Amino acid sequence: RLRRMRRVVEKLRDLLRDDFDKTVEQSKATLRFCGMANTASAAPKARAAIVGGELPVDLETLLQQLVEFLKVFKQHWEEVSSDLSLYEQFFAAADRHADSCQ
C-alpha cells in the first residue's frame, strides 16, 4: 500500500510541478505583453527568479496595478451609467458640432 501511495504522491508532485512551470511561463508572457519583462527597476533577485523558474516578483506589482485600475474603472462606470442620458446628449451634440465643422 505504501508503494502505491508513494507512486500516487509522485504523480501528483509531477503534475503540480508541470502546472507550476506552465504558470511561470504564462506569468512571464503576461509581463512581457505588459512591457514589464526585464525591467530596469527589477531587483537582481527578481531577475534571478524569472530565470530560475520561479514566479516573477513583478507579477504581484502588475496584479496590484490591475486591481487599482479596475477600482477606478468601476467607479467611473457607475458614475457614467447613473447619468447615461446626459452623456448620450453630450456626445451626440459633439458629433453634430464636428459634422458641421467639416
Side-chain angles (χ1 to χ4, degrees):
R1 287 183 184 177
L2 289 176
R3 284 185 212 147
R4 287 184 194 148
M5 181 63 88
R6 182 179 179 182
R7 277 186 263 157
V8 168
V9 169
E10 286 173 352
K11 286 182 182 180
L12 289 174
R13 182 200 62 208
D14 292 342
L15 289 172
L16 184 60
R17 176 45 99 184
D18 291 343
D19 188 46
F20 181 79
D21 291 342
K22 288 178 187 175
T23 302
V24 169
E25 289 304 314
Q26 289 172 345
S27 65
K28 289 179 192 177
T30 301
L31 289 171
R32 242 187 330 272
F33 177 79
C34 295
M36 295 180 70
N38 297 324
T39 58
S41 65
K45 185 176 179 181
R47 283 193 297 272
I50 291 172
V51 173
E54 296 180 18
L55 284 174
V57 177
D58 285 342
L59 184 62
E60 182 179 354
T61 303
L62 174 64
L63 293 176
Q64 289 172 342
Q65 291 172 351
L66 284 173
V67 166
E68 192 63 33
F69 169 78
L70 290 174
K71 285 179 185 176
V72 171
F73 182 83
K74 180 179 181 267
Q75 178 184 0
H76 180 69
W77 178 254
E78 289 171 351
E79 290 174 5
V80 169
S81 62
S82 69
D83 204 6
L84 193 57
S85 61
L86 178 66
Y87 283 94
E88 288 173 342
Q89 291 172 2
F90 174 78
F91 285 109
D95 284 342
R96 284 193 301 272
H97 177 72
D99 290 340
S100 67
C101 290
Q102 291 179 354

XYZ file of all heavy atoms in Angstrom:
820
model
N 0.825 -1.203 0.000
C 0.000 0.000 0.000
C 0.865 1.261 0.000
O 0.537 2.226 -0.670
C -0.912 0.026 1.218
C -2.034 -0.946 1.148
C -2.915 -0.809 2.339
N -3.949 -1.819 2.310
C -4.820 -1.988 3.241
N -4.790 -1.226 4.317
N -5.734 -2.920 3.152
N 1.912 1.210 0.783
C 2.781 2.393 0.847
C 3.455 2.666 -0.496
O 3.637 3.819 -0.876
C 3.825 2.227 1.943
C 3.300 2.304 3.376
C 4.420 2.021 4.370
C 2.669 3.653 3.653
N 3.840 1.616 -1.204
C 4.456 1.819 -2.520
C 3.467 2.454 -3.493
O 3.821 3.336 -4.270
C 4.952 0.489 -3.077
C 6.219 0.033 -2.424
C 6.742 -1.223 -3.103
N 7.419 -2.014 -2.097
C 7.469 -3.314 -2.059
N 6.860 -4.035 -2.982
N 8.113 -3.938 -1.105
N 2.243 1.984 -3.458
C 1.221 2.573 -4.325
C 0.975 4.030 -3.960
O 0.835 4.886 -4.834
C -0.086 1.786 -4.210
C -0.033 0.457 -4.879
C -1.373 -0.220 -4.815
N -1.228 -1.612 -5.163
C -1.957 -2.588 -4.666
N -2.898 -2.320 -3.782
N -1.769 -3.829 -5.039
N 0.898 4.260 -2.656
C 0.695 5.634 -2.198
C 1.856 6.523 -2.631
O 1.650 7.659 -3.049
C 0.546 5.666 -0.679
C 0.313 7.051 -0.135
S -1.215 7.769 -0.735
C -2.316 7.158 0.496
N 3.061 5.987 -2.559
C 4.229 6.757 -2.975
C 4.143 7.105 -4.459
O 4.421 8.235 -4.858
C 5.503 5.981 -2.688
C 6.743 6.743 -3.060
C 7.977 5.985 -2.749
N 9.146 6.740 -3.141
C 10.369 6.312 -3.023
N 10.601 5.143 -2.481
N 11.356 7.053 -3.418
N 3.736 6.138 -5.299
C 3.601 6.408 -6.732
C 2.539 7.468 -6.995
O 2.721 8.343 -7.839
C 3.265 5.123 -7.488
C 4.522 4.316 -7.793
C 4.179 3.134 -8.649
N 4.041 2.015 -7.714
C 3.367 0.907 -7.899
N 2.707 0.721 -9.013
N 3.316 -0.034 -6.994
N 1.448 7.388 -6.252
C 0.383 8.386 -6.410
C 0.896 9.766 -6.038
O 0.681 10.753 -6.749
C -0.857 8.005 -5.562
C -1.833 9.164 -5.493
C -1.517 6.753 -6.114
N 1.608 9.848 -4.920
C 2.151 11.135 -4.473
C 3.170 11.659 -5.480
O 3.199 12.858 -5.778
C 2.760 11.006 -3.055
C 3.552 12.238 -2.683
C 1.668 10.726 -2.041
N 3.989 10.802 -6.028
C 4.972 11.230 -7.028
C 4.278 11.750 -8.287
O 4.704 12.753 -8.862
C 5.920 10.078 -7.372
C 6.923 9.790 -6.277
C 7.742 8.536 -6.547
O 7.436 7.795 -7.520
O 8.680 8.288 -5.775
N 3.229 11.057 -8.712
C 2.488 11.530 -9.884
C 1.848 12.882 -9.609
O 1.884 13.781 -10.454
C 1.418 10.518 -10.290
C 1.987 9.292 -10.959
C 0.890 8.346 -11.381
C 1.485 7.100 -12.008
N 0.427 6.161 -12.426
N 1.268 13.031 -8.426
C 0.672 14.323 -8.067
C 1.732 15.415 -8.012
O 1.501 16.538 -8.454
C -0.062 14.214 -6.732
C -1.353 13.404 -6.747
C -1.889 13.250 -5.332
C -2.390 14.056 -7.642
N 2.905 15.088 -7.466
C 4.001 16.054 -7.407
C 4.413 16.476 -8.810
O 4.612 17.666 -9.089
C 5.194 15.453 -6.657
C 6.367 16.430 -6.516
C 7.663 15.748 -6.222
N 7.995 14.857 -7.336
C 8.726 13.764 -7.218
N 9.186 13.381 -6.051
N 8.994 13.018 -8.267
N 4.520 15.503 -9.715
C 4.900 15.815 -11.096
C 3.843 16.682 -11.782
O 4.188 17.627 -12.508
C 5.128 14.535 -11.894
C 6.356 13.763 -11.417
O 7.214 14.367 -10.727
O 6.443 12.558 -11.736
N 2.580 16.369 -11.548
C 1.508 17.190 -12.126
C 1.542 18.609 -11.571
O 1.364 19.586 -12.303
C 0.143 16.548 -11.847
C -0.172 15.274 -12.623
C -1.461 14.636 -12.106
C -0.271 15.560 -14.113
N 1.778 18.713 -10.275
C 1.863 20.038 -9.652
C 3.047 20.820 -10.199
O 2.942 22.010 -10.482
C 1.962 19.899 -8.132
C 1.958 21.176 -7.330
C 0.674 21.960 -7.568
C 2.098 20.861 -5.848
N 4.182 20.172 -10.393
C 5.372 20.827 -10.940
C 5.101 21.298 -12.366
O 5.459 22.410 -12.744
C 6.565 19.878 -10.883
C 7.840 20.425 -11.526
C 8.132 21.827 -11.144
N 9.109 21.946 -10.105
C 9.449 23.102 -9.573
N 8.881 24.212 -9.978
N 10.338 23.186 -8.640
N 4.450 20.454 -13.168
C 4.115 20.842 -14.541
C 3.177 22.045 -14.555
O 3.368 22.980 -15.339
C 3.466 19.680 -15.294
C 4.437 18.547 -15.586
O 5.663 18.770 -15.502
O 3.958 17.432 -15.896
N 2.191 22.013 -13.675
C 1.252 23.130 -13.585
C 1.972 24.404 -13.147
O 1.731 25.483 -13.683
C 0.126 22.788 -12.610
C -0.975 23.819 -12.620
O -1.407 24.225 -13.717
O -1.411 24.234 -11.523
N 2.876 24.274 -12.202
C 3.648 25.425 -11.740
C 4.515 25.984 -12.870
O 4.571 27.197 -13.078
C 4.523 25.032 -10.548
C 5.334 26.169 -10.005
C 4.750 27.116 -9.180
C 6.675 26.308 -10.328
C 5.491 28.173 -8.685
C 7.413 27.355 -9.836
C 6.824 28.296 -9.007
N 5.174 25.092 -13.609
C 6.016 25.538 -14.727
C 5.190 26.278 -15.782
O 5.625 27.298 -16.318
C 6.742 24.354 -15.366
C 7.815 23.767 -14.452
O 8.240 24.460 -13.499
O 8.212 22.609 -14.689
N 3.987 25.778 -16.066
C 3.098 26.466 -17.015
C 2.705 27.840 -16.481
O 2.655 28.817 -17.232
C 1.849 25.632 -17.283
C 2.096 24.412 -18.119
C 0.823 23.614 -18.310
C 1.098 22.303 -19.017
N -0.103 21.465 -19.113
N 2.437 27.901 -15.185
C 2.071 29.184 -14.574
C 3.216 30.175 -14.670
O 3.005 31.361 -14.961
C 1.664 28.980 -13.099
O 0.567 28.063 -13.050
C 1.268 30.286 -12.448
N 4.428 29.712 -14.442
C 5.609 30.585 -14.558
C 5.729 31.113 -15.979
O 5.930 32.311 -16.189
C 6.892 29.831 -14.128
C 8.133 30.611 -14.504
C 6.875 29.556 -12.636
N 5.584 30.230 -16.966
C 5.692 30.662 -18.363
C 4.584 31.647 -18.725
O 4.828 32.640 -19.412
C 5.663 29.447 -19.300
C 6.919 28.616 -19.232
C 8.181 29.415 -19.508
O 8.199 30.199 -20.478
O 9.150 29.269 -18.744
N 3.373 31.392 -18.267
C 2.263 32.302 -18.554
C 2.474 33.650 -17.878
O 2.166 34.695 -18.456
C 0.941 31.684 -18.107
C 0.505 30.531 -18.968
C -0.708 29.807 -18.410
O -1.079 29.971 -17.250
N -1.333 28.990 -19.239
N 3.023 33.651 -16.670
C 3.263 34.928 -15.988
C 4.362 35.712 -16.696
O 4.267 36.930 -16.832
C 3.604 34.709 -14.515
O 4.830 34.026 -14.377
N 5.385 35.019 -17.182
C 6.436 35.702 -17.956
C 5.857 36.319 -19.222
O 6.167 37.456 -19.567
C 7.548 34.725 -18.320
C 8.406 34.278 -17.174
C 9.446 33.295 -17.686
C 10.155 32.575 -16.593
N 11.100 31.577 -17.115
N 5.013 35.547 -19.908
C 4.396 36.054 -21.144
C 3.499 37.250 -20.850
O 3.486 38.228 -21.601
C 3.603 34.942 -21.832
N 2.776 37.191 -19.755
C 1.908 38.310 -19.372
C 2.727 39.554 -19.080
O 2.388 40.656 -19.523
C 1.062 37.932 -18.137
O 0.270 36.787 -18.459
C 0.176 39.079 -17.707
N 3.808 39.390 -18.340
C 4.666 40.537 -18.031
C 5.299 41.108 -19.297
O 5.387 42.321 -19.461
C 5.749 40.132 -17.023
C 5.245 39.865 -15.613
C 6.355 39.268 -14.764
C 4.705 41.127 -14.976
N 5.722 40.221 -20.195
C 6.290 40.689 -21.467
C 5.249 41.470 -22.257
O 5.535 42.534 -22.802
C 6.768 39.484 -22.278
C 8.224 39.456 -22.553
C 8.687 38.356 -23.488
N 7.938 37.126 -23.502
C 8.145 36.077 -22.713
N 9.096 36.122 -21.807
N 7.410 34.985 -22.815
N 4.025 40.951 -22.319
C 2.941 41.614 -23.042
C 2.670 43.000 -22.463
O 2.386 43.942 -23.197
C 1.674 40.751 -22.977
C 0.488 41.396 -23.639
C 0.357 41.371 -25.012
C -0.486 42.021 -22.882
C -0.742 41.955 -25.630
C -1.588 42.609 -23.489
C -1.711 42.579 -24.865
N 2.769 43.119 -21.153
C 2.502 44.397 -20.483
C 3.737 45.294 -20.428
O 3.706 46.353 -19.816
C 1.977 44.154 -19.071
S 0.378 43.338 -19.054
N 4.820 44.873 -21.060
C 6.027 45.692 -21.103
C 6.800 45.708 -19.804
O 7.580 46.628 -19.561
N 6.623 44.700 -18.973
C 7.295 44.682 -17.681
C 8.414 43.652 -17.605
O 9.017 43.471 -16.564
C 6.277 44.396 -16.569
C 5.249 45.482 -16.410
S 4.075 45.142 -15.101
C 5.111 45.325 -13.657
N 8.693 42.948 -18.683
C 9.741 41.933 -18.660
C 11.106 42.591 -18.633
O 11.346 43.575 -19.328
C 9.625 41.026 -19.869
N 11.985 42.068 -17.821
C 13.363 42.568 -17.706
C 13.401 44.067 -17.443
O 14.180 44.796 -18.043
C 14.168 42.248 -18.963
C 14.306 40.760 -19.173
O 14.439 39.999 -18.217
N 14.259 40.354 -20.420
N 12.553 44.536 -16.538
C 12.523 45.958 -16.243
C 13.789 46.366 -15.515
O 14.380 45.587 -14.778
C 11.299 46.315 -15.370
O 11.368 45.546 -14.167
C 10.006 46.026 -16.090
N 14.183 47.581 -15.724
C 15.385 48.092 -15.058
C 15.177 48.191 -13.564
O 16.127 48.101 -12.793
C 15.753 49.457 -15.637
N 13.910 48.376 -13.142
C 13.639 48.511 -11.719
C 13.622 47.177 -10.990
O 13.599 47.137 -9.776
C 12.296 49.210 -11.505
O 11.255 48.404 -12.006
N 13.610 46.074 -11.740
C 13.574 44.768 -11.099
C 14.875 44.528 -10.346
O 15.959 44.758 -10.852
C 13.348 43.677 -12.132
N 14.741 44.093 -9.139
C 15.914 43.797 -8.328
C 16.630 42.588 -8.911
O 16.025 41.763 -9.581
C 15.479 43.520 -6.890
N 17.941 42.472 -8.647
C 18.666 41.306 -9.164
C 18.031 39.989 -8.723
O 17.985 39.034 -9.483
C 20.065 41.473 -8.571
C 20.195 42.940 -8.317
C 18.809 43.410 -7.980
N 17.511 39.946 -7.509
C 16.873 38.723 -7.018
C 15.626 38.409 -7.848
O 15.352 37.257 -8.164
C 16.513 38.868 -5.545
C 15.970 37.603 -4.934
C 15.727 37.779 -3.447
C 15.161 36.503 -2.850
N 14.894 36.626 -1.434
N 14.878 39.447 -8.217
C 13.681 39.242 -9.026
C 14.055 38.743 -10.412
O 13.401 37.858 -10.959
C 12.879 40.540 -9.129
N 15.119 39.316 -10.993
C 15.566 38.846 -12.307
C 16.038 37.401 -12.218
O 15.777 36.600 -13.098
C 16.668 39.754 -12.841
C 16.158 41.066 -13.379
C 17.220 41.796 -14.173
N 18.366 42.167 -13.379
C 18.481 43.302 -12.698
N 17.507 44.177 -12.708
N 19.565 43.577 -12.019
N 16.712 37.045 -11.137
C 17.156 35.668 -10.951
C 15.970 34.731 -10.813
O 15.995 33.600 -11.300
C 18.056 35.566 -9.721
N 14.906 35.196 -10.167
C 13.712 34.364 -10.002
C 13.063 34.086 -11.345
O 12.576 32.986 -11.588
C 12.717 35.045 -9.062
N 13.063 35.082 -12.232
C 12.482 34.891 -13.556
C 13.270 33.832 -14.312
O 12.706 32.951 -14.939
C 12.447 36.224 -14.340
C 11.428 37.167 -13.715
C 12.120 35.987 -15.803
C 11.452 38.566 -14.279
N 14.579 33.909 -14.216
C 15.421 32.952 -14.912
C 15.353 31.584 -14.238
O 15.356 30.559 -14.887
C 16.883 33.468 -14.953
C 17.817 32.422 -15.508
C 16.955 34.740 -15.777
N 15.240 31.572 -12.907
C 15.312 30.328 -12.160
C 14.041 29.515 -12.124
O 13.991 28.504 -11.447
N 12.998 29.890 -12.815
C 11.789 29.105 -12.838
C 10.858 29.369 -11.686
O 10.060 28.526 -11.323
N 10.949 30.532 -11.087
C 10.024 30.919 -10.038
C 9.101 31.989 -10.577
O 9.380 32.616 -11.589
C 10.792 31.461 -8.831
C 11.686 30.427 -8.160
C 12.444 30.990 -6.975
O 12.041 32.045 -6.457
O 13.434 30.396 -6.583
N 8.003 32.205 -9.867
C 7.085 33.263 -10.297
C 7.773 34.609 -10.159
O 8.370 34.911 -9.129
C 5.824 33.250 -9.445
C 4.832 32.146 -9.778
C 3.706 32.146 -8.763
C 4.285 32.301 -11.172
N 7.712 35.442 -11.195
C 8.352 36.753 -11.139
C 7.712 37.650 -10.079
O 6.493 37.651 -9.904
C 8.112 37.332 -12.533
C 7.778 36.164 -13.389
C 7.144 35.156 -12.494
N 8.540 38.399 -9.390
C 8.062 39.321 -8.365
C 7.224 40.426 -9.003
O 6.259 40.905 -8.406
C 9.263 39.919 -7.591
C 8.805 40.940 -6.574
C 10.047 38.809 -6.911
N 7.556 40.810 -10.232
C 6.821 41.868 -10.920
C 5.368 41.493 -11.183
O 4.542 42.364 -11.426
C 7.495 42.216 -12.253
C 8.759 43.026 -12.070
O 8.933 43.597 -10.973
O 9.563 43.089 -13.010
N 5.053 40.211 -11.114
C 3.675 39.786 -11.330
C 2.768 40.364 -10.250
O 1.658 40.811 -10.539
C 3.579 38.261 -11.355
C 2.212 37.681 -11.679
C 1.774 38.096 -13.078
C 2.235 36.175 -11.557
N 3.241 40.395 -9.031
C 2.446 40.969 -7.937
C 2.199 42.449 -8.182
O 1.083 42.943 -7.989
C 3.138 40.760 -6.597
C 2.336 41.278 -5.430
C 3.003 41.044 -4.088
O 4.042 40.379 -4.047
O 2.465 41.541 -3.090
N 3.211 43.159 -8.639
C 3.068 44.577 -8.944
C 2.030 44.790 -10.038
O 1.166 45.664 -9.926
C 4.419 45.169 -9.395
O 5.383 44.938 -8.369
C 4.318 46.643 -9.685
N 2.109 43.985 -11.078
C 1.146 44.092 -12.180
C -0.278 43.838 -11.676
O -1.203 44.581 -11.999
C 1.483 43.102 -13.290
C 0.470 43.011 -14.428
C 0.388 44.341 -15.180
C 0.824 41.874 -15.365
N -0.450 42.815 -10.870
C -1.785 42.500 -10.356
C -2.312 43.613 -9.460
O -3.504 43.942 -9.513
C -1.767 41.162 -9.620
C -1.497 39.941 -10.506
C -1.398 38.685 -9.656
C -2.546 39.789 -11.578
N -1.461 44.226 -8.667
C -1.889 45.349 -7.832
C -2.324 46.531 -8.697
O -3.318 47.200 -8.395
C -0.774 45.769 -6.883
C -0.526 44.776 -5.772
C 0.702 45.113 -4.951
O 1.561 45.881 -5.376
N 0.794 44.541 -3.765
N -1.588 46.786 -9.759
C -1.957 47.872 -10.662
C -3.279 47.578 -11.358
O -4.106 48.481 -11.545
C -0.846 48.103 -11.686
C 0.406 48.685 -11.088
C 1.554 48.735 -12.079
O 1.477 48.196 -13.177
N 2.641 49.373 -11.684
N -3.498 46.324 -11.736
C -4.764 45.951 -12.358
C -5.933 46.121 -11.388
O -7.005 46.589 -11.779
C -4.717 44.508 -12.855
C -3.926 44.274 -14.129
C -3.804 42.781 -14.412
C -4.548 44.988 -15.306
N -5.718 45.763 -10.138
C -6.767 45.932 -9.125
C -7.113 47.407 -8.984
O -8.293 47.783 -8.955
C -6.326 45.332 -7.775
C -7.228 45.789 -6.649
C -6.308 43.819 -7.850
N -6.096 48.244 -8.915
C -6.339 49.686 -8.789
C -7.067 50.234 -10.013
O -8.003 51.020 -9.890
C -5.009 50.415 -8.572
C -5.158 51.835 -8.149
C -5.847 51.976 -6.793
O -5.687 51.111 -5.928
O -6.571 52.983 -6.629
N -6.646 49.808 -11.197
C -7.313 50.235 -12.427
C -8.783 49.834 -12.416
O -9.658 50.630 -12.774
C -6.610 49.648 -13.653
C -7.388 49.836 -14.921
C -7.387 51.059 -15.572
C -8.153 48.808 -15.451
C -8.113 51.252 -16.735
C -8.886 48.984 -16.611
C -8.863 50.211 -17.261
N -9.056 48.597 -12.021
C -10.440 48.128 -12.013
C -11.298 48.891 -11.012
O -12.471 49.160 -11.274
C -10.495 46.630 -11.729
C -9.973 45.751 -12.869
C -9.930 44.291 -12.432
C -10.800 45.921 -14.118
N -10.724 49.277 -9.883
C -11.472 50.076 -8.910
C -11.859 51.421 -9.513
O -13.001 51.867 -9.403
C -10.641 50.306 -7.646
C -10.536 49.108 -6.751
C -9.660 49.438 -5.547
C -9.436 48.230 -4.677
N -8.512 48.518 -3.564
N -10.893 52.076 -10.147
C -11.151 53.379 -10.761
C -12.149 53.235 -11.909
O -13.083 54.033 -12.038
C -9.833 54.027 -11.248
C -10.088 55.261 -12.082
C -8.938 54.344 -10.057
N -11.955 52.206 -12.741
C -12.858 51.988 -13.861
C -14.276 51.729 -13.372
O -15.236 52.274 -13.926
C -12.378 50.820 -14.724
C -13.240 50.582 -15.933
C -13.055 51.324 -17.081
C -14.255 49.634 -15.900
C -13.860 51.128 -18.193
C -15.064 49.425 -17.008
C -14.857 50.174 -18.149
N -14.436 50.919 -12.337
C -15.763 50.606 -11.785
C -16.438 51.876 -11.270
O -17.619 52.116 -11.534
C -15.646 49.590 -10.663
C -16.969 49.199 -10.042
C -16.757 48.168 -8.935
C -18.064 47.751 -8.329
N -18.440 48.521 -7.174
N -15.666 52.700 -10.561
C -16.222 53.952 -10.041
C -16.661 54.847 -11.196
O -17.760 55.404 -11.177
C -15.191 54.667 -9.177
C -15.681 55.996 -8.649
C -14.586 56.731 -7.875
O -13.467 56.255 -7.739
N -14.924 57.904 -7.381
N -15.825 54.978 -12.211
C -16.157 55.812 -13.366
C -17.381 55.252 -14.092
O -18.281 56.003 -14.480
C -14.967 55.907 -14.313
C -15.229 56.748 -15.515
N -15.383 58.111 -15.449
C -15.385 56.411 -16.819
C -15.627 58.584 -16.657
N -15.627 57.573 -17.502
N -17.414 53.934 -14.283
C -18.535 53.314 -14.984
C -19.838 53.555 -14.235
O -20.866 53.827 -14.850
C -18.290 51.823 -15.161
C -19.433 51.143 -15.838
C -20.351 50.326 -15.278
C -19.805 51.273 -17.211
N -21.268 49.918 -16.196
C -20.959 50.480 -17.399
C -19.280 51.972 -18.296
C -21.583 50.379 -18.643
C -19.911 51.864 -19.513
C -21.045 51.077 -19.680
N -19.811 53.452 -12.922
C -21.018 53.687 -12.134
C -21.489 55.132 -12.263
O -22.692 55.396 -12.372
C -20.778 53.330 -10.671
C -20.662 51.831 -10.436
C -20.210 51.464 -9.037
O -19.803 52.361 -8.261
O -20.250 50.264 -8.716
N -20.545 56.069 -12.291
C -20.912 57.478 -12.462
C -21.525 57.720 -13.833
O -22.537 58.414 -13.959
C -19.686 58.370 -12.267
C -19.187 58.427 -10.839
C -17.887 59.207 -10.713
O -17.420 59.789 -11.716
O -17.338 59.224 -9.594
N -20.928 57.167 -14.870
C -21.427 57.363 -16.229
C -22.775 56.679 -16.406
O -23.720 57.271 -16.948
C -20.412 56.847 -17.268
C -21.023 56.784 -18.653
C -19.173 57.728 -17.267
N -22.876 55.433 -15.951
C -24.131 54.708 -16.170
C -25.280 55.291 -15.358
O -26.438 55.155 -15.759
C -23.962 53.222 -15.857
O -23.630 53.030 -14.505
N -24.991 55.963 -14.260
C -26.069 56.574 -13.483
C -26.667 57.784 -14.201
O -27.810 58.150 -13.951
C -25.572 56.987 -12.097
O -24.666 58.068 -12.192
N -25.897 58.406 -15.103
C -26.386 59.575 -15.839
C -26.104 59.391 -17.329
O -25.599 60.304 -17.996
C -25.714 60.830 -15.295
C -26.523 62.087 -15.554
O -27.660 61.968 -16.063
O -26.017 63.173 -15.264
N -26.443 58.230 -17.833
C -26.118 57.874 -19.213
C -26.795 58.788 -20.228
O -26.189 59.144 -21.239
C -26.509 56.415 -19.468
C -25.979 55.787 -20.740
C -24.455 55.869 -20.800
C -26.434 54.345 -20.834
N -28.004 59.207 -19.958
C -28.705 60.059 -20.928
C -27.971 61.383 -21.133
O -27.900 61.895 -22.248
C -30.144 60.305 -20.481
O -30.163 60.977 -19.239
N -27.397 61.945 -20.072
C -26.637 63.185 -20.191
C -25.408 62.982 -21.080
O -25.110 63.810 -21.951
C -26.217 63.699 -18.816
C -25.371 64.968 -18.795
C -26.179 66.157 -19.318
C -24.861 65.254 -17.402
N -24.710 61.866 -20.898
C -23.534 61.576 -21.715
C -23.933 61.346 -23.173
O -23.226 61.771 -24.089
C -22.783 60.360 -21.160
C -21.951 60.695 -19.940
C -22.471 60.526 -18.666
C -20.668 61.178 -20.069
C -21.718 60.830 -17.541
C -19.906 61.493 -18.957
C -20.440 61.320 -17.695
O -19.686 61.621 -16.596
N -25.053 60.664 -23.395
C -25.512 60.451 -24.771
C -25.820 61.776 -25.455
O -25.449 61.985 -26.606
C -26.747 59.551 -24.768
C -26.443 58.109 -24.439
C -27.690 57.261 -24.276
O -28.795 57.813 -24.084
O -27.553 56.028 -24.342
N -26.455 62.691 -24.744
C -26.749 64.014 -25.296
C -25.464 64.775 -25.584
O -25.311 65.407 -26.630
C -27.617 64.821 -24.332
C -29.026 64.309 -24.185
C -29.780 65.034 -23.079
O -29.248 65.951 -22.448
N -31.011 64.606 -22.824
N -24.536 64.712 -24.658
C -23.264 65.417 -24.812
C -22.528 64.942 -26.053
O -22.075 65.746 -26.876
C -22.403 65.230 -23.557
C -21.021 65.794 -23.699
C -20.802 67.164 -23.584
C -19.934 64.965 -23.958
C -19.526 67.692 -23.713
C -18.661 65.494 -24.085
C -18.453 66.853 -23.969
N -22.396 63.619 -26.209
C -21.646 63.103 -27.350
C -22.413 63.264 -28.655
O -21.804 63.445 -29.708
C -21.238 61.641 -27.106
C -20.111 61.522 -26.120
C -20.341 61.004 -24.853
C -18.844 61.954 -26.443
C -19.318 60.908 -23.936
C -17.802 61.865 -25.532
C -18.040 61.344 -24.267
N -23.714 63.227 -28.612
C -24.499 63.479 -29.820
C -24.296 64.926 -30.272
O -24.131 65.205 -31.466
C -25.970 63.184 -29.569
N -24.281 65.851 -29.316
C -24.060 67.258 -29.644
C -22.644 67.459 -30.182
O -22.435 68.226 -31.134
C -24.294 68.135 -28.417
N -21.690 66.755 -29.609
C -20.309 66.863 -30.079
C -20.183 66.334 -31.503
O -19.469 66.920 -32.323
C -19.371 66.114 -29.143
N -20.867 65.239 -31.807
C -20.849 64.696 -33.169
C -21.471 65.672 -34.161
O -20.943 65.875 -35.253
C -21.599 63.357 -33.222
C -20.798 62.213 -32.635
O -19.571 62.362 -32.494
O -21.423 61.178 -32.324
N -22.585 66.280 -33.779
C -23.245 67.256 -34.670
C -22.322 68.447 -34.902
O -22.218 68.953 -36.023
C -24.563 67.708 -34.074
C -25.680 66.697 -34.190
C -27.035 67.287 -33.871
N -27.112 67.835 -32.524
C -27.443 67.159 -31.429
N -27.744 65.878 -31.514
N -27.509 67.751 -30.240
N -21.636 68.892 -33.862
C -20.723 70.036 -33.996
C -19.550 69.667 -34.918
O -19.155 70.471 -35.775
C -20.211 70.449 -32.613
C -19.206 71.563 -32.679
N -19.575 72.862 -32.986
C -17.873 71.570 -32.457
C -18.481 73.616 -32.975
N -17.446 72.851 -32.653
N -19.014 68.463 -34.752
C -17.897 68.018 -35.605
C -18.330 67.910 -37.067
O -17.591 68.286 -37.978
C -17.360 66.683 -35.117
N -19.559 67.432 -37.287
C -20.086 67.321 -38.661
C -20.276 68.692 -39.286
O -20.022 68.895 -40.481
C -21.403 66.539 -38.676
C -21.212 65.070 -38.366
O -20.063 64.570 -38.502
O -22.204 64.403 -37.994
N -20.701 69.651 -38.495
C -20.945 70.993 -39.037
C -19.643 71.724 -39.340
O -19.610 72.614 -40.175
C -21.795 71.816 -38.060
O -21.073 72.094 -36.879
N -18.563 71.325 -38.703
C -17.269 71.969 -38.921
C -16.595 71.446 -40.183
O -15.671 72.065 -40.692
C -16.351 71.759 -37.732
S -16.856 72.670 -36.274
N -17.031 70.336 -40.696
C -16.356 69.742 -41.876
C -16.863 70.307 -43.141
O -17.645 70.868 -43.583
C -16.533 68.238 -41.892
C -15.769 67.589 -40.766
C -15.969 66.068 -40.761
O -16.750 65.524 -41.525
N -15.241 65.398 -39.910
